Amino acid sequence: MPSTYKKLIYDTFILLIITVLCVGNKRSPCACRDVSNCDYLPKNDEVGKEVFVLTNGSSEYKEWHWDTVTTVVDEDKHNLDVMCYAHSQHKKYGIIIKLDDIAAFDDLSSNNTNVISWVEEFRIKARDTRADVVILDLMPLIPRLTKNEKDDRVQIDLFLAKLKQSFLSPPGKMDCIVPWKPVISGSDDSESVSSMLAKSCDRFMLSPDSYTYIEGYGCKARATIPITKLVLGVDEYVTAGITEERLIMAIPWHGYSYPCKSYNETTMVCKLHNKDNTSTCDVTNRERVPIDDVLRWKGIQVLHSGHWNNAYKAPCHVFKKNTSSGTTYHQLWYEDVESLRIKYQFAKDMNLKGIAIWTGDDLSKSKVDFVHDFNSEMWSWILHDLLGKGEILPRGHEKFYYANTVTGVALGCLFGGMLLGIVFTCIGFRQIKNKKKTPPFAKDLEVEDYHDDSFNL
């Protein structure tokens, strides 16, 4: 073949490659009115703490207290309006990549065309949404990681590395949603799996829905995040080599209502059904209840009548439902101002990288005075008290803060009394100063009508 034809074929081949690369990397037009809002925000991972707020797009996100947020994360819809508004507020925008489809693939190697196309799809999505943060939801892969199959684990390791490399913007950054404690793989310890994930995941977000009911814990309704498990999980991650500065604690702004198989009014224990005659608890019929619904449903009554559990550091509320088969008890475990304050304080004391509100849409949007005040309290603490300097001070709902109220009243009375004392003292000195002086012995003139021979003596 003449050299001219060889050169022509070579030039054509190079041109095709360049064309494919250009088309593949061509970004979709900016969806924001202000084109500058499509720009990535400067990286500030080394400064301050993170406050993620997840959203599914079901609320008026513009009404949030954006000064308390550092990153808004789109759960599923990848709404470009949210991205534009977040960037206009100088906040980062993130997307979550779910692995439900990938978890079903037997082969995760780079030779699998399905894996290649899947990775490319999400690379384009991350690029077109102008995501500053990419969060990988590892929860669907956890069952495979718990198996003691080394080849499968190697495939997952290579897949995560390839996925991370595919996100050119932001370059080389990927956060991961993981269970509340490190994964244990078969007979191996948790450190081997954690060290594998640590290579691909820059930060670890602890899923609030991962505090699942497993064998050995007893089938009873309990808090969404028992504080005992939270402390244990963070400690195990640190032991496995994941430092506190890489951990993000996700906090639910919702609770769950459990139908009780039996209920003990004395101990307030709600026993649950077992799954398929096993020792595993069946929680498939529990109902997710956002704080929004808690306040709208019973309002202040629930917050006042709730029972505080000292072990879980969370409130619960018991109610009855009348059904065709009779009356059943239901136990609602939820988050309130006090239970959230304890979790925020823990994140601060442990020097975690930050927190993630799961989700901002769970908060009530009611304009009722009490609910509106409740909302303001929950939004306003997040950044200024939790991540700022100083201690988080209890405040807000009067149910929990009688001691603070009494202290405030006492101090008010003290300073008020001191002020009144100073005022009255000044008035007294002023009257003494202005009093008219009387001549000496002026009082003696008053006795001139006195007679010794008076018969009245």
Side-chain angles (χ1 to χ4, degrees), residues 232-256:
L232 174 63
V234 170
D235 180 67
E236 289 195 9
Y237 270 108
V238 174
T239 303
I242 308 298
T243 60
E244 297 91 337
E245 293 80 7
R246 298 177 66 181
L247 294 178
I248 298 168
M249 181 177 65
I251 301 175
W253 276 2
H254 61 265
Y256 287 97

Side-chain angles (χ1 to χ4, degrees), residues 71-348:
T71 305
V72 60
V73 180
D74 216 333
E75 277 194 280
D76 190 25
K77 295 182 180 179
H78 304 154
N79 190 338
L80 294 181
D81 291 337
V82 176
M83 179 274 293
C84 294
Y85 190 78
H87 283 177
S88 71
Q89 300 298 309
H90 304 288
K91 309 298 181 181
K92 289 179 287 187
Y93 173 78
I95 63 172
I96 292 180
I97 299 177
K98 298 186 177 181
L99 299 179
D100 301 86
D101 297 333
I102 282 294
F105 294 163
D106 293 331
D107 181 15
L108 287 177
S109 65
S110 58
N111 297 326
N112 189 333
T113 55
N114 291 327
V115 173
I116 295 174
S117 60
W118 188 92
V119 171
E120 180 64 13
E121 176 187 351
F122 276 98
R123 185 188 72 82
I124 295 174
K125 185 169 292 187
R127 181 198 65 193
D128 290 347
T129 56
R130 274 72 174 182
D132 306 285
V133 176
V134 175
I135 302 176
L136 186 64
D137 187 357
L138 287 179
M139 296 305 294
L141 284 180
I142 297 305
R144 295 179 66 168
L145 288 172
T146 57
K147 296 179 181 179
N148 192 21
E149 298 179 4
K150 187 174 181 180
D151 292 340
D152 195 28
R153 204 164 61 196
V154 170
Q155 278 194 13
I156 293 176
D157 187 16
L158 294 175
F159 165 75
L160 294 179
K162 181 177 180 60
L163 186 61
K164 182 177 181 179
Q165 292 173 0
S166 67
F167 300 118
L168 301 179
S169 295
K173 289 287 184 180
M174 186 170 69
D175 299 334
C176 296
I177 298 175
V178 294
W180 63 278
K181 68 174 184 176
V183 178
I184 299 177
S185 178
S187 59
D188 296 341
D189 58 15
S190 60
E191 189 172 354
S192 60
V193 179
S194 298
S195 59
M196 181 197 81
L197 297 179
K199 293 185 297 183
S200 298
C201 303
D202 293 280
R203 296 175 297 193
F204 294 80
M205 185 181 294
L206 309 183
S207 169
D209 290 329
S210 66
Y211 295 78
T212 52
Y213 290 75
I214 58 178
E215 296 183 18
Y217 281 89
C219 285
K220 69 174 184 177
R222 54 172 59 88
T224 308
I225 297 185
I227 194 66
T228 49
K229 283 191 175 183
L230 174 61
V231 174
L232 174 63
V234 170
D235 180 67
E236 289 195 9
Y237 270 108
V238 174
T239 303
I242 308 298
T243 60
E244 297 91 337
E245 293 80 7
R246 298 177 66 181
L247 294 178
I248 298 168
M249 181 177 65
I251 301 175
W253 276 2
H254 61 265
Y256 287 97
S257 174
Y258 298 88
C260 305
K261 177 182 178 181
S262 63
Y263 177 70
N264 188 317
E265 294 188 9
T266 303
T267 60
M268 299 190 71
V269 172
C270 171
K271 289 287 186 178
L272 305 178
H273 293 271
N274 294 87
K275 184 182 294 184
D276 301 327
N277 296 321
T278 64
S279 59
T280 303
C281 305
D282 184 8
V283 293
T284 55
N285 55 353
R286 69 177 181 175
E287 179 185 358
R288 175 171 168 161
V289 183
I291 291 181
D292 181 358
D293 292 344
V294 173
L295 295 173
R296 292 173 185 269
W297 174 40
K298 291 288 186 180
I300 196 169
Q301 178 184 345
V302 171
L303 298 180
H304 274 295
S305 63
H307 169 74
W308 179 260
N309 187 287
N310 282 322
Y312 300 146
K313 301 299 181 186
C316 68
H317 177 71
V318 178
F319 60 97
K320 298 179 182 179
K321 276 188 179 181
N322 295 321
T323 62
S324 57
S325 57
T327 302
T328 59
Y329 283 91
H330 291 251
Q331 192 171 62
L332 169 66
W333 288 89
Y334 59 97
E335 301 290 346
D336 65 3
V337 174
E338 178 68 4
S339 65
L340 291 172
R341 183 190 69 82
I342 292 172
K343 294 179 178 65
Y344 295 160
Q345 185 69 55
F346 175 78
K348 177 180 175 60

